[in-house]
Amino acid sequence: MYLKPHASRRRHKEAQHARNNRAEIVKALTQGHVSRRELFKWGIFTSLGTLANINGLSPFATSAYASVPTGVPRSPTFGAMPFTYRMPRLRLEEPHKLTEKPNGYELDLAFPGYLDEPEARRLSYHTQFTESGGDDYRNPRFSGGPMEGRPPGEYFAHQRWREYLPQKAFIMTLGRLQNGYSFHPNFPDQDRDSVWTFNTGREEESVLPPPLLKVRYGEPVIFRHYNALPEDRRKNNGFGSISMATHNHNAHNASASDGASNAHFYPGQFYDYHWSTTLARADMINTDASDPRASGPDGYGGLTYVKGDHRELQSSLWFHDHRFFFTAENVYKGHLGALNYYSGPDRGNETLNDGVNHRLPSGTELDWGNIDFDVNLMISDAALDEDGQYFFDIFETIGFLGDLLLVNFAYKPFFEVLPRKYRFRLLNACMSRFIRPGLINDRNRWVPMKVIATDGNLMVNPVSVNLLDPMGSAERFDVVVDFSEFPVGSRIRMLNVAEHEEGGKPKEYLSRRDAIDQDTDDPGVGTFLEFRVVGEVDSVDSPGKKHYASDPDYSRVPSQLTEQIPIVDPVRVRHLEFKGTDREEGLETGECFPDCDDRNIEGFGWTIRVNGESNHFLNANRVSMLVPEPGVTEHWIIENSSGGWDHPVHLHFEEGVTIDRDGRRLSRLERGARKDVWRTGAGGQVRVQVTFGEYGGAYVTHCHNTVHEDWAMLARYDVLTDPNDPNQSSQHVSVIPTPDPSKYGVTYRDPEILPEGNPFSKEYTGNPMVGDDDDDDDDKPRRRG
């Protein structure tokens, strides 16, 4: 896709002209001058969702100067050499303590007085704004709307509020970039509206690198997110939406705090997300909270026990924008951060030896959450325009590829390590690009890694590899690397062998030699991070202190990290096909939001088919699947029938155990692993086991190639709760109405429930209930194998 470095000047000019035209399309979409439906009607996009093959528009159209595609200009690097800039650590955020403030039936939570913050409440302040006429609850930047963007009433009240009462709160603001930041000292400073990201508290000027939040089981938190973006949506430097929603990917939270229920909010507003730190299966397993492995650190060397299944503890998560139709642009623009969850077994302390703590590489300065030797690596790709400004290029609806690899928003940096064990939390934060990382030493030989977690879930047993499995967008691996065999002065580099020609999937995975030599036209292949073994480093956990090569390494990697969750007979099986539209089927889809008949309008190229019935694309007001009772186990067959593309499919709210791929054995890193993103492979399928529980409401499943997601490859599912179940809270959750936000406030629409996704419908086409085949109506999931 990207031009070769020696391409002629006129070919560069031709490619830049086409890119400028594509940029105008992105700008017009984000600023509301044109709709996606209109782009299809005008023929700019084909029925399959690809850009019209027109010279001056598509990078794949034949060049006027050669029998090759027009291509895309490479990003200028302004003479910057790789590995000349120190990698920034993610910016650690500190929470604030909350205190209880009874308020009649409710229980409000007060922030420290010096912060001058409204209390955290179970019900949104939008509720009081609606009931009182709004005088005391108005958006300070817009008098016509509420100050909180969370929708009003019980539908978006925090579920199980008293049971998982928040104890701490993070206050963060997403706003325009502070002046003076660049991805490398040689690069120009970024414009304030090229990057929109977070700052601490109420500060409206945002800073990079992205933030890191540390959370522990047993200590629920409020994430108060302020929107400080410009009110004029034209002031976005060409891409990005000023309204937003934040998804905690993929903690076990209620739908009002999941960030993907169409509850986006506007400049001047805040949204209180309740991150409950609920351990999955809290209503089914270990309900008396007696298992020490199901726990979080108490801050004093001990443990706080919690209900739930210790096998479902999470570790490496992240949060990012989930504004429907604009997720790719907003996440790419900087709306993202890392979340480290800490538990009894994964304490973040190397020396506590209580029979529960694994003592994984981390540090010793703090009781929990040490990060001196536990490092987050947020890997993304970027593109720059001719002036060196951050740039989003739509290419076409199959994906976006940047040609510069960044780590923690720095261009090809270096990072100093001691000769000891380190834990690295790798996140693929690219919008469409797959990466496949490995480590090489000074002699270009592989350096082994021990994989201890995938998608934030501990592996049953660590797996030693030279090269990780491919990582689709949003996939994570936690690896331990032992640098003790390398003398001070050694340099180890991280290498990407995944080669792309377009954004739908990797073209191939190159050999180590070809990737090192960059024998490819893809600039994203090759080394992108250098580790330098040194004799001393500064402590992050204890500022002002140094760690030395001679210090003892107390960390270890035990041979078993958790226990396997068995595969059981499911209550039902669902078949989800991620596919492109097919005109021969008579289906013409289009921009349909929040509700319309997708059979009668023109448009989108990406859909999801449920149980072999009609194709669905993103419609927030349509329930494609219904989970009618909590605590049930289902098997999902996730199939890619969209041709030669790949889809990293993400399930919100719950993780699943990977059963098989294409009916065959899995790779060593997939076998039995809990995940929340599954690569389908080109034309392949993967089968997973999912158990739903604890919370109800509206969630989604979608392709995490965020360009596919924004062009409608997303389906809503609702989980119901039963008020008569003693394990549930008194708050009954049925199919919730769909919020329809504006800066004036939120109204609701009644959703449609499609019969092919409703197991109680006569038209349900999934597999029948699986049970014990007698007549006593007590069918339950049964262990298999």
Side-chain angles (χ1 to χ4, degrees):
M1 179 184 293
Y2 281 92
L3 293 174
K4 295 180 183 293
H6 57 269
S8 67
R9 182 176 299 178
R10 60 184 181 179
R11 285 202 59 209
H12 274 278
K13 186 176 180 179
E14 176 190 45
Q16 186 62 50
H17 173 68
R19 187 186 222 192
N20 292 342
N21 288 335
R22 296 194 300 274
E24 287 300 314
I25 295 173
V26 176
K27 183 177 180 180
L29 277 170
T30 58
Q31 296 180 359
H33 300 310
V34 67
S35 70
R36 286 168 170 79
R37 186 188 304 181
E38 289 172 315
L39 294 177
F40 280 100
K41 286 185 175 180
W42 297 341
I44 292 176
F45 283 93
T46 71
S47 63
L48 292 179
T50 58
L51 270 174
N53 194 30
I54 302 171
N55 185 273
L57 179 64
S58 171
F60 302 107
T62 302
S63 169
Y65 305 107
S67 297
V68 294
T70 298
V72 180
R74 294 197 180 207
S75 300
T77 54
F78 306 96
M81 299 298 293
F83 318 126
T84 56
Y85 180 38
R86 186 184 302 275
M87 185 193 82
R89 298 290 297 265
L90 295 184
R91 193 180 71 255
L92 183 63
E93 295 292 328
E94 295 294 337
H96 303 280
K97 184 175 176 59
L98 297 171
T99 55
E100 297 181 12
K101 185 179 179 182
N103 179 20
Y105 167 75
E106 301 291 350
L107 180 61
D108 294 348
L109 300 173
F111 289 78
Y114 61 85
L115 293 175
D116 192 27
E117 286 285 336
E119 291 88 358
R121 292 182 172 178
R122 188 184 72 86
L123 284 168
S124 167
Y125 280 94
H126 195 321
T127 306
Q128 285 88 347
F129 169 83
T130 303
E131 294 174 350
S132 70
D135 290 341
D136 298 325
Y137 305 103
R138 292 189 184 277
N139 181 342
R141 290 173 60 181
F142 177 69
S143 62
M147 70 181 188
E148 184 173 8
R150 181 162 53 111
E154 289 292 337
Y155 297 122
F156 278 77
H158 296 312
Q159 295 179 40
R160 306 177 79 151
W161 176 248
R162 288 177 177 266
E163 183 179 359
Y164 294 102
L165 194 67
Q167 300 173 30
K168 298 283 182 69
F170 293 95
I171 305 172
M172 301 195 70
T173 300
L174 193 135
R176 306 168 74 195
L177 184 66
Q178 195 175 74
N179 289 324
Y181 183 84
S182 64
F183 303 113
H184 187 280
N186 286 49
F187 290 9
D189 289 348
Q190 292 299 305
D191 183 274
R192 296 187 66 201
D193 290 317
S194 292
V195 177
W196 290 340
T197 189
F198 287 96
N199 206 342
T200 303
R202 301 284 290 272
E203 294 294 328
E204 293 192 356
E205 285 194 325
S206 60
V207 293
L208 284 173
L212 166 63
L213 279 59
K214 296 192 298 187
V215 178
R216 52 181 166 170
Y217 281 96
E219 186 179 75
V221 300
I222 288 289
F223 178 69
R224 175 162 289 180
H225 179 181
Y226 281 93
N227 181 343
L229 296 180
E231 294 175 70
D232 185 348
R233 61 184 178 181
R234 295 172 298 179
K235 296 181 179 179
N236 65 351
N237 215 20
F239 69 99
S241 169
I242 61 170
S243 59
M244 61 184 70
T246 298
H247 170 47
N248 180 331
H249 181 131
N250 199 48
H252 200 69
N253 292 318
S255 64
S257 297
D258 182 67
S261 52
N262 199 44
H264 49 268
F265 61 107
Y266 289 83
Q269 295 181 327
F270 69 86
Y271 194 119
D272 274 355
Y273 294 92
H274 178 206
W275 292 347
S276 62
T277 68
T278 306
L279 178 54
R281 282 358 105 221
D283 295 342
M284 297 173 59
I285 297 174
N286 183 38
T287 56
D288 61 352
S290 61
D291 188 339
R293 297 169 296 182
S295 59
D298 67 2
Y300 303 99
L303 296 172
T304 299
Y305 289 16
V306 299
K307 298 186 297 181
D309 188 347
H310 74 92
R311 298 170 298 181
E312 302 205 50
L313 289 167
Q314 298 173 295
S315 56
S316 300
L317 306 180
W318 64 308
F319 59 96
H320 60 81
D321 180 76
H322 220 293
R323 168 65 161 93
F324 290 158
F325 297 112
F326 295 102
T327 297
E329 295 172 47
N330 286 359
V331 177
Y332 178 74
K333 203 170 182 74
H335 185 161
L336 75 171
L339 274 166
N340 290 357
Y341 272 55
Y342 293 91
S343 61
D346 193 359
R347 196 85 55 91
N349 185 299
E350 299 177 358
T351 56
L352 287 174
N353 189 13
D354 59 1
V356 175
N357 181 33
H358 289 326
R359 299 171 58 188
L360 295 167
S362 49
T364 61
E365 302 298 314
L366 309 174
D367 173 69
W368 65 277
N370 287 281
I371 57 173
D372 274 339
F373 311 112
D374 181 350
V375 184
N376 294 80
L377 302 180
M378 185 178 287
I379 304 165
S380 61
D381 56 349
L384 304 181
D385 66 15
E386 294 175 295
D387 300 320
Q389 290 299 302
Y390 204 40
F391 184 85
F392 184 85
D393 194 338
I394 199 169
F395 296 144
E396 56 187 23
T397 63
I398 61 170
F400 163 80
L401 298 176
D403 60 324
L404 304 178
L405 281 188
L406 308 179
V407 184
N408 295 353
F409 273 59
Y411 171 64
K412 292 193 175 182
F414 69 87
F415 182 69
E416 293 181 336
V417 297
L418 294 176
R420 54 152 293 152
K421 293 190 290 298
Y422 277 75
R423 175 182 185 166
F424 296 108
R425 302 175 189 243
L426 279 69
L427 161 67
N428 181 353
C430 302
M431 298 307 99
S432 304
R433 181 182 287 277
F434 288 70
I435 57 175
R436 191 173 190 187
L439 294 176
I440 55 172
N441 62 19
D442 295 339
R443 296 178 296 160
N444 291 336
R445 303 287 181 85
W446 290 121
V447 174
M449 301 173 283
K450 281 190 176 181
V451 180
I452 60 171
T454 178
D455 287 359
N457 303 283
L458 290 172
M459 304 280 289
V460 174
N461 310 107
V463 178
S464 184
V465 299
N466 291 331
L467 188 65
L468 294 173
D469 282 0
M471 299 173 66
S473 177
E475 286 193 275
R476 288 95 69 206
F477 281 119
D478 287 25
V479 303
V480 173
V481 180
D482 191 350
F483 294 103
S484 62
E485 63 179 273
F486 300 102
V488 170
S490 300
R491 299 190 178 193
I492 294 90
R493 292 178 177 174
M494 189 165 283
L495 175 73
N496 175 36
V497 304
E499 178 189 40
H500 278 266
E501 195 169 61
E502 40 80 14
K505 70 176 181 65
K507 178 184 177 182
E508 64 177 308
Y509 301 105
L510 300 180
S511 68
R512 177 181 52 186
R513 174 177 294 180
D514 286 347
I516 293 169
D517 294 341
Q518 291 189 290
D519 186 15
T520 171
D521 291 332
D522 180 2
V525 170
T527 53
F528 61 93
L529 173 63
E530 180 176 86
F531 297 104
R532 297 180 178 178
V533 182
V534 297
E536 62 180 51
V537 296
D538 293 326
S539 172
V540 178
D541 300 316
S542 182
K545 180 177 179 178
K546 287 187 178 293
H547 294 294
Y548 298 95
S550 57
D551 293 344
D553 178 0
Y554 296 106
S555 70
R556 64 191 187 98
V557 180
S559 59
Q560 182 170 339
L561 297 165
T562 187
E563 295 177 1
Q564 183 67 58
I565 296 176
I567 305 302
V568 301
D569 289 332
V571 167
R572 65 185 61 90
V573 177
R574 300 185 196 258
H575 186 192
L576 280 70
E577 294 176 76
F578 287 71
K579 63 196 300 291
T581 58
D582 187 342
R583 292 284 173 154
E584 294 180 359
E585 296 179 0
L587 175 69
E588 296 181 350
T589 60
E591 184 163 22
C592 177
F593 184 72
D595 66 342
C596 62
D597 183 353
D598 58 358
R599 293 162 179 79
N600 296 325
I601 60 175
E602 299 176 354
F604 293 133
W606 298 114
T607 66
I608 301 173
R609 174 183 283 172
V610 177
N611 291 339
E613 296 297 319
S614 58
N615 293 313
H616 308 174
F617 58 84
L618 168 56
N619 183 338
N621 202 39
R622 179 176 53 213
V623 181
S624 296
M625 291 175 289
L626 192 65
V627 180
E629 64 281 276
V632 302
T633 298
E634 300 186 353
H635 286 181
W636 285 22
I637 300 169
I638 302 170
E639 181 180 355
N640 175 9
S641 55
S642 64
W645 299 300
D646 200 345
H647 299 296
V649 174
H650 174 43
L651 174 66
H652 282 226
F653 178 44
E654 293 287 3
E655 284 67 50
V657 181
T658 313
I659 300 173
D660 59 45
R661 179 179 292 280
D662 300 323
R664 299 189 297 272
R665 287 175 61 85
L666 300 159
S667 76
R668 291 193 299 155
L669 298 182
E670 292 181 304
R671 206 168 298 155
R674 291 181 68 246
K675 289 177 61 65
D676 59 60
V677 180
W678 292 272
R679 288 170 288 104
T680 59
Q685 70 172 221
V686 62
R687 189 161 54 114
V688 303
Q689 173 176 285
V690 185
T691 303
F692 296 91
E694 283 69 67
Y695 294 107
Y699 300 93
V700 294
T701 184
H702 61 88
C703 177
H704 218 295
N705 178 328
T706 50
V707 177
H708 294 186
E709 175 185 342
D710 284 342
W711 290 81
M713 196 172 238
L714 183 149
R716 168 178 167 177
Y717 75 93
D718 280 43
V719 181
L720 310 186
T721 61
D722 182 358
N724 298 315
D725 185 342
N727 290 323
Q728 296 291 331
S729 68
S730 60
Q731 183 177 355
H732 173 49
V733 179
S734 59
V735 174
I736 67 170
T738 307
D740 192 0
S742 75
K743 65 179 182 179
Y744 299 96
V746 179
T747 56
Y748 286 104
R749 295 172 182 254
D750 292 327
E752 172 192 11
I753 302 174
L754 295 184
E756 62 263 31
N758 182 358
F760 294 154
S761 167
K762 292 181 180 179
E763 298 178 53
Y764 179 73
T765 55
N767 293 55
M769 302 281 283
V770 176
D772 52 16
D773 297 322
D774 59 23
D775 296 320
D776 56 10
D777 296 322
D778 67 345
D779 291 352
K780 296 179 181 179
R782 293 177 286 117
R783 178 169 178 152
R784 189 186 71 193

